[in-house]
Amino acid sequence: MSHCFNPTCPQPVNEPTAQFCQSCGSSLVLGDRYRALQVLGQGGFGKTFLAVDITQNPPQTCVIKQFLPVQQGESVRRKASELFRQEAEQLKELGSHPQIPTLYAYLEVEDFQYLVQEFVRGQTLEQELKQEGPFSEIKILRLLNDLLPILQLLHDHQIIHRDIKPTNLIRPNLEDPTAPDVVLVDFGASKYATREAMARTGTLIGSAGYAAPEQVMGRAEFASDLYSMGVTCIHLMTGLHPFDLYSPADDAWNWEQYLPQPVDARLVQVLNKLLKRATNQRFRSAAAVLKALNARDRPVVRLSSRSTESMPSVGSELALMQREAVALNPDPSQASSVTPAGEWTCYRTLTGHEGPITAVAVSPDGLLIATGSTDRSVKLWHLETGHLLHTFTGKSLLSPTGHSDRISAVAFSPDGRTLISGSDDCRVIWWDIETRRRIFSRMGHEWVISALATSQNGQLLASGGGDGLVNLWDLESGEPIARLHKHRDRITSILLSPDGQTLISSSYDCTIRLWDLKSDRLISTLRGHSDRISSLAVSPNWLTLVSAGCDRTLRFWDLSQGKQAQSILAHRDAITCLTLAPQGHVLASGSEDNRIKLWNLRQDETGSTIFTGEKPKSLAYGWSVSAIAFGPDGRTLVSGSADETVRIWIQV
């Protein structure tokens, strides 16, 4: 059916192909291209229609928001119209964000103004609540970490949403692998109402129960959105409407008693501060909420596994991965065409571990991801689909072959047929990828395994331990070859040259050591970091080494001269992990400041790799980043975090 845009039309429903309303004679096609199908919502500012763009083939579904200015006086009307137009420009700029609907058009027709926006297919959080029941603590934490950066973005552009509630938060269609976890919809129009109009008409901008006290009086602030976010959270956590959680007699929110299960005290504290009646007692910004929510001493919350074990047989599974590899991993001969330019977006989030992620690795063919966790398990994932293929479980009476302590490192053999894992139980275990069985296990160190590396020639495995030792193993047989001992503290990172002749190690003792494996002797020691070194990365030609650590700096070293070439203060907190794209064009660093930063690199005339000086791209996390690894194409990045999730990022 076609719906008339005239707000005073007595019979607005018309035949699907009608050009003019049969009741009032108004045109049913807005701007010669948009036809309204039905009314999605109506409020004091106007109406929202589900519509189609009939100029597209097939017609493209969209949303039309009609603003009805009620101000009296030509000057006030002109001012309202200009404000609406300015906001449309801001929304157009914001629309490039994956969690905000794209603005297609801004139209002024007769006395009315319209915004035409993307229609987001999916399920609202209100629908999710009804189907799945109250949200768990971890779901609320994810929601806050997903939504608060968007609110900060809006507020930075001087936009107040004014209608944060579960029905305006949508889980996009899960069939789209690139869809974000949550999209914020139905914002903008309420911002266009002037204070004079609200005072004159008494119109409530927002939704009863969710709107902040000052917003009800027509004086919304940025903190009003934060208040509504807090109300949304307690509604989702309890399953009760805000009217049932607020006590007029006490003038207070009484929501904690209705929680199905206890939650972390810090989350309760954050939500209660969001719900303060006085605006000066709330958080000053969405960024401040994130900081309080993800403080470093935050206790770890356990996640429940959503993974499935109902996967195809090993043979068919490997064949499927081979077919799908082409899409995600282009011909290696084209790798040089990869450029640092472009945006990075979260392609997929993997859940299933029941503890913080401590290690990640991508197989040489780019088909598999291996992850380790404090839950003592090693998991094998299909990178393209995100499916959990297998869990190498922690050691127990039912599973005596696994690790008995946290996993600290994982690595693939160069042929991709073997997975090696190291643990705080001081053991190194070789796993057969195809049969999913343990090949053999070795006691490697007197105190925890802290780092692993394999040589590209397939001959060597190196392990580092908390005892400061570096052990060398025959990769195929698992037999020990040699032991290197110069570091005075825990080994944090190991690099093996492609020919297996050179090894580089770093340690908590603030040193980097280069070893000649032909003679098992120390070549040189690099010093420069003022605090513990956490990670190393090396350029493809092995001329440049990059190191990072708790002093928050990235340091570039000229290996031919054994000297430091560059130093960059890179993060606000300790850097936990590094990885360099195989093509050598991008360096990724993860930190306890809840950020991944991507640094553009280039080669100078001597072949050394240097930082270009461009501002790095920053990928926001809700929790600290603990492990990262590039795929072989240089366009895929895998990261692990204290939030117990693994994220796959792709360059778009």
Side-chain angles (χ1 to χ4, degrees):
M1 305 301 287
S2 291
H3 199 286
C4 182
F5 289 102
N6 182 0
T8 62
C9 182
Q11 296 180 351
V13 178
N14 294 265
E15 293 298 320
T17 58
Q19 295 298 309
F20 298 94
C21 179
Q22 62 182 357
S23 178
C24 69
S26 299
S27 174
L28 296 175
V29 181
L30 180 67
D32 297 326
R33 63 183 304 175
Y34 301 109
R35 181 185 293 273
L37 303 180
Q38 66 184 75
V39 176
L40 293 176
Q42 184 169 352
F45 58 84
K47 292 181 180 179
T48 301
F49 301 91
L50 178 66
V52 291
D53 182 351
I54 60 176
T55 65
Q56 302 294 318
N57 188 20
Q60 181 182 28
T61 305
C62 57
V63 171
I64 297 177
K65 295 181 181 179
Q66 180 187 48
F67 183 63
L68 309 176
V70 296
Q71 295 89 343
Q72 297 179 357
E74 186 62 26
S75 63
V76 175
R77 184 183 296 272
R78 285 200 304 268
K79 182 176 180 181
S81 177
E82 181 60 29
L83 287 173
F84 191 89
R85 190 178 297 107
Q86 290 176 5
E87 292 290 349
E89 290 299 319
Q90 289 180 324
L91 289 173
K92 184 177 181 180
E93 179 182 348
L94 293 172
S96 61
H97 197 287
Q99 290 174 271
I100 297 175
T102 300
L103 178 70
Y104 294 142
Y106 160 75
L107 301 170
E108 293 184 27
V109 180
E110 297 179 350
D111 291 333
F112 307 123
Q113 296 169 291
Y114 300 88
L115 293 177
V116 185
Q117 290 180 294
E118 172 189 6
F119 175 63
V120 180
R121 299 181 183 276
Q123 184 182 53
T124 70
L125 295 194
E126 185 67 35
Q127 293 170 325
E128 183 177 325
L129 173 65
K130 291 179 180 178
Q131 291 183 10
E132 301 181 11
F135 281 35
S136 65
E137 177 178 355
I138 194 62
K139 286 181 70 173
I140 290 296
L141 289 171
R142 286 175 180 161
L143 174 63
L144 287 168
N145 279 288
D146 280 337
L147 187 60
L148 287 168
I150 305 304
L151 289 182
Q152 187 63 53
L153 178 66
L154 292 176
H155 296 170
D156 288 344
H157 284 75
Q158 304 303 305
I159 296 175
I160 307 172
H161 186 283
R162 284 181 167 88
D163 205 13
I164 304 290
K165 59 182 179 180
T167 53
N168 285 339
L169 297 169
I170 295 181
R171 301 275 193 208
N173 194 334
L174 296 180
E175 294 180 0
D176 181 1
T178 64
D181 287 340
V182 64
V183 174
L184 177 60
V185 301
D186 198 21
F187 67 93
S190 60
K191 174 69 169 64
Y192 313 132
T194 65
R195 182 175 299 178
E196 291 86 348
M198 289 187 289
R200 185 174 294 115
T201 63
T203 301
L204 168 64
I205 303 299
S207 299
Y210 298 93
E214 70 279 2
Q215 184 173 325
V216 174
M217 295 186 293
R219 301 181 62 182
E221 304 177 14
F222 298 131
S224 305
D225 281 346
L226 301 180
Y227 181 96
S228 298
M229 187 69 248
V231 178
T232 295
C233 287
I234 64 173
H235 169 55
L236 294 174
M237 294 175 74
T238 63
L240 299 177
H241 192 277
F243 287 154
D244 298 321
L245 299 174
Y246 183 78
S247 170
D250 299 329
D251 191 21
W253 292 95
N254 296 324
W255 60 278
E256 297 173 49
Q257 59 184 308
Y258 298 107
L259 290 171
Q261 56 188 9
V263 299
D264 178 60
R266 175 167 293 168
L267 177 58
V268 172
Q269 183 181 19
V270 168
L271 292 177
N272 281 333
K273 188 169 182 179
L274 288 173
L275 296 169
K276 291 292 186 182
R277 187 175 183 85
T279 57
N280 62 3
Q281 294 181 16
R282 297 180 209 153
F283 289 97
R284 298 184 62 181
S285 67
V289 184
L290 277 173
K291 183 176 181 180
L293 199 65
N294 300 307
R296 289 179 59 185
D297 59 344
R298 176 176 174 78
V300 173
V301 181
R302 294 293 181 188
L303 275 169
S304 59
S305 173
R306 298 185 194 172
S307 58
T308 174
E309 298 290 347
S310 56
M311 297 301 298
S313 64
V314 172
S316 63
E317 184 180 285
L318 293 177
L320 171 66
M321 289 190 288
Q322 291 291 342
R323 290 195 301 270
E324 292 177 334
V326 178
L328 200 63
N329 300 286
D331 185 343
S333 65
Q334 303 300 317
S336 60
S337 65
V338 178
T339 61
E343 296 299 323
W344 289 77
T345 185
C346 185
Y347 169 74
R348 217 179 270 283
T349 300
L350 311 181
T351 61
H353 279 292
E354 296 183 352
I357 308 301
T358 51
V360 299
V362 180
S363 62
D365 57 11
L367 298 178
L368 302 174
I369 302 171
T371 59
S373 167
T374 60
D375 64 8
R376 303 181 300 166
S377 73
V378 176
K379 293 183 182 293
L380 194 65
W381 314 80
H382 184 214
L383 192 152
E384 170 69 11
T385 66
H387 288 149
L388 177 63
L389 303 177
H390 188 72
T391 298
F392 302 97
T393 56
K395 189 174 182 180
S396 65
L397 292 176
L398 297 177
S399 178
T401 62
H403 288 289
S404 60
D405 209 334
R406 72 187 291 274
I407 308 301
S408 52
V410 291
F412 285 95
S413 63
D415 61 10
R417 299 174 61 182
T418 305
L419 175 65
I420 304 98
S421 59
S423 167
D424 284 3
D425 64 7
C426 302
R427 291 193 303 153
V428 182
I429 297 181
W430 282 250
W431 306 93
D432 188 291
I433 296 293
E434 185 171 1
T435 65
R436 312 290 164 78
R437 295 182 179 275
R438 186 181 74 169
I439 302 174
F440 36 74
S441 174
R442 300 288 185 262
M443 292 298 293
H445 295 264
E446 297 179 0
W447 182 34
V448 310
I449 307 294
S450 52
L452 292 174
T454 59
S455 62
Q456 291 182 19
N457 63 11
Q459 297 179 2
L460 283 180
L461 168 72
S463 64
D467 52 11
L469 299 178
V470 176
N471 288 345
L472 300 179
W473 311 82
D474 184 284
L475 182 58
E476 185 173 351
S477 68
E479 294 301 316
I481 297 175
R483 172 170 289 187
L484 311 176
H485 188 188
K486 283 293 183 180
H487 286 292
R488 299 190 305 273
D489 206 337
R490 181 189 182 105
I491 305 298
T492 56
S493 188
I494 297 175
L495 301 172
L496 275 171
S497 63
D499 60 5
Q501 299 300 310
T502 306
L503 182 145
I504 306 176
S505 57
S506 64
S507 168
Y508 276 1
D509 65 10
C510 304
T511 66
I512 301 168
R513 299 186 186 270
L514 281 67
W515 307 83
D516 179 357
L517 298 187
K518 292 181 181 180
S519 58
D520 297 335
R521 67 179 182 86
L522 180 66
I523 301 173
S524 63
T525 299
L526 306 179
R527 292 181 172 88
H529 283 279
S530 60
D531 204 340
R532 297 177 299 178
I533 301 171
S534 59
S535 191
L536 300 174
V538 68
S539 62
N541 59 12
W542 268 66
L543 291 179
T544 304
L545 176 72
V546 187
S547 59
C550 295
D551 60 5
R552 304 176 293 160
T553 64
L554 293 175
R555 298 178 186 266
F556 290 70
W557 305 84
D558 184 334
L559 291 180
S560 64
Q561 300 185 27
K563 295 181 179 180
Q564 181 174 297
Q566 278 183 303
S567 178
I568 305 167
L569 182 59
H571 285 268
R572 295 182 178 181
D573 212 330
I575 302 173
T576 55
C577 46
L578 288 179
T579 183
L580 186 63
Q583 298 76 16
H585 66 297
V586 176
L587 175 75
S589 58
S591 169
E592 291 182 359
D593 65 6
N594 306 343
R595 288 286 186 276
I596 295 174
K597 289 189 177 182
L598 297 158
W599 309 81
N600 290 344
L601 308 179
R602 66 175 177 84
Q603 282 191 358
D604 63 13
E605 62 278 1
T606 67
S608 296
T609 299
I610 60 174
F611 172 50
T612 62
E614 301 173 54
K615 182 179 180 180
K617 299 185 184 299
S618 181
L619 308 179
Y621 247 100
W623 301 62
S624 62
V625 183
S626 51
I628 47 178
F630 270 111
D633 61 358
R635 300 176 184 268
T636 309
L637 180 69
V638 181
S639 61
S641 169
D643 66 0
E644 307 180 357
T645 68
V646 178
R647 298 189 187 185
I648 304 173
W649 308 82
I650 58 173
Q651 188 181 27
V652 294

